[in-house]
């Protein structure tokens, strides 16, 4: 996705202190290029599974601390029984996902309802 959009790839790693830290192999180049732009940096958060949304919220806060504007959350799979989608939408971030899963007494199934947006 990043190559198609001409964007940078930045990864979030949890530090021993418990805080999220944003890293990239070409971090100095990213910092220089973003500093030279007149508008704020815009970012999309990609996550394989959106469940509670707490980790995604931490990454969003770390990006905001860097001066970036988070535009959306893209998730490979979103669990509709968990609070992740609502937590992100309450922050004003739309959640884009191709697969919605619901936890039922018989196990995970594809969601048949359309989730309400905040």
């Amino acid at each position: 996705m990043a190559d198609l959009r001409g964007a940078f790839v930045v990864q979030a790693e949890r530090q021993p202190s418990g805080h999220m830290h944003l890293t990239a192999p070409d971090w100095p180049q990213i910092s220089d290029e973003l500093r030279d732009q007149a508008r704020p940096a815009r970012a999309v958060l990609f996550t394989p599974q959106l469940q509670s949304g707490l980790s995604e919220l931490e990454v969003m806060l770390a990006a905001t601390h860097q001066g970036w504007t988070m535009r959306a959350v893209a998730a490979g799979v979103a669990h509709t029984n968990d609070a992740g989608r609502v937590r992100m939408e309450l922050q004003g971030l739309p959640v884009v996902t191709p697969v919605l899963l619901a936890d039922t007494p018989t196990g995970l199934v594809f969601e048949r309802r359309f989730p309400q947006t905040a």
Side-chain angles (χ1 to χ4, degrees):
M1 284 298 289
D3 289 341
L4 291 172
R5 304 291 293 168
F8 299 111
V9 174
V10 177
Q11 295 183 349
E13 295 177 352
R14 187 169 305 280
Q15 296 297 306
S17 65
H19 292 60
M20 285 290 188
H21 179 68
L22 303 178
T23 62
D26 53 351
W27 190 260
Q29 176 192 358
I30 293 171
S31 297
D32 291 344
E33 193 164 323
L34 293 176
R35 189 175 26 256
D36 294 341
Q37 291 184 359
R39 63 177 183 222
R42 295 175 295 169
V44 174
L45 175 62
F46 288 92
T47 185
Q49 283 196 66
L50 180 60
Q51 291 179 310
S52 72
L54 290 175
S55 295
E56 290 79 9
L57 183 59
E58 288 182 83
V59 171
M60 184 197 76
L61 292 172
T64 302
H65 184 71
Q66 294 286 330
W68 302 353
T69 302
M70 194 66 66
R71 304 292 294 176
V73 175
V77 174
H79 294 256
T80 58
N81 295 59
D82 293 323
R85 181 180 203 92
V86 172
R87 196 169 265 135
M88 294 295 100
E89 289 177 344
L90 285 173
Q91 301 300 317
L93 297 176
V95 176
V96 180
T97 182
V99 179
L100 294 171
L101 293 180
D103 191 12
T104 68
T106 60
L108 291 174
V109 297
F110 287 108
E111 180 64 75
R112 293 183 292 248
R113 304 167 293 160
F114 289 102
Q116 298 296 317
T117 59

